């Protein structure tokens, strides 16, 4: 294999070019990258790829016993299908739970006064618990009789 490379590089020569990085290109800050990753996490867990391929409606509708239509946010009895608003709401809860764990991690800094520590712990715990229990409620709305 090395013989083949030697044949090519016997008549090919790498150019001697000095390239400089443009001055306007800088390393992005940590918070900018966190925002980008959180936004991509939100978009992908919302099911944007599914929404682009299948093109579901934003919300659905159902008819009650009197013949009136009412809006429905969750596509019931279909675990592999979703409305756009359903995906966005679930993705918001997933992102809120993840941010709650990040807040809980930030509450563990060594030089933090007690009031700030307790506020961070309560805010992080609230985000995680609200996200967990609302996700369970969403799942019960999606599949009635499933986690009961």
């Amino acid at each position: 294999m090395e013989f083949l490379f030697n044949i090519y590089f016997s008549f090919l020569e790498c150019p001697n070019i000095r390239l400089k990085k443009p001055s306007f290109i800088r390393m992005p800050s940590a918070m900018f990258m966190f925002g980008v990753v959180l936004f991509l996490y939100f978009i992908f867990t919302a099911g944007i790829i599914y929404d682009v391929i299948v093109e579901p409606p934003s919300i659905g509708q159902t008819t009650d016993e009197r013949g009136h239509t009412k809006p429905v946010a969750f596509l019931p009895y279909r675990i592999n299908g979703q409305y756009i608003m359903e995906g966005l709401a679930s993705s918001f809860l997933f992102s809120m739970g993840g941010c709650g764990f990040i807040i809980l991690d930030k509450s563990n800094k060594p030089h933090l006064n007690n009031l700030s520590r307790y506020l961070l712990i309560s805010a992080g715990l609230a985000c995680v618990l609200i996200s967990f229990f609302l996700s369970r409620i969403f799942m019960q709305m999606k599949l009635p009789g499933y986690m009961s």
Side-chain angles (χ1 to χ4, degrees), residues 67-148:
H68 296 83
T69 60
K70 60 180 184 175
V72 176
F74 289 92
L75 186 62
Y77 302 109
R78 285 204 41 213
I79 195 69
N80 291 334
Q82 71 176 15
Y83 295 129
I84 294 174
M85 291 303 292
E86 175 185 355
L88 291 175
S90 299
S91 179
F92 173 75
L93 289 179
F94 299 153
S95 299
M96 187 173 77
C99 287
F101 282 115
I102 292 171
I103 293 171
L104 284 174
D105 180 56
K106 292 293 182 188
S107 70
N108 209 13
K109 285 186 177 177
H111 302 295
L112 205 62
N113 60 10
N114 282 341
L115 178 64
S116 298
R117 187 180 311 275
Y118 290 138
L119 285 175
L120 285 174
I121 288 173
S122 60
L125 214 64
C127 285
V128 169
L129 291 176
I130 288 171
S131 172
F132 175 74
F133 287 115
L134 279 180
S135 294
R136 286 184 60 96
I137 290 171
F138 281 8
M139 195 64 191
Q140 287 173 353
M141 290 167 65
K142 182 87 172 156
L143 294 172
Y146 179 61
M147 296 183 320
S148 47

Side-chain angles (χ1 to χ4, degrees), residues 8-101:
Y8 289 127
F9 287 110
S10 66
F11 60 90
L12 290 176
E13 189 174 320
C14 292
N16 189 9
I17 299 175
R18 291 186 182 194
L19 295 175
K20 290 191 332 183
K21 183 179 75 166
S23 62
F24 61 87
I25 296 179
R26 294 195 176 110
M27 181 181 282
S29 68
M31 285 309 292
F32 176 76
M33 289 309 298
F34 170 73
V36 167
V37 169
L38 185 65
F39 176 73
L40 289 175
Y41 177 74
F42 177 82
I43 291 298
F44 288 135
T45 56
I48 191 70
I49 297 171
Y50 172 82
D51 293 341
V52 167
I53 293 172
V54 178
E55 297 178 1
S58 60
I59 59 171
Q61 61 183 5
T62 185
T63 308
D64 60 2
E65 61 274 353
R66 294 184 179 184
H68 296 83
T69 60
K70 60 180 184 175
V72 176
F74 289 92
L75 186 62
Y77 302 109
R78 285 204 41 213
I79 195 69
N80 291 334
Q82 71 176 15
Y83 295 129
I84 294 174
M85 291 303 292
E86 175 185 355
L88 291 175
S90 299
S91 179
F92 173 75
L93 289 179
F94 299 153
S95 299
M96 187 173 77
C99 287
F101 282 115

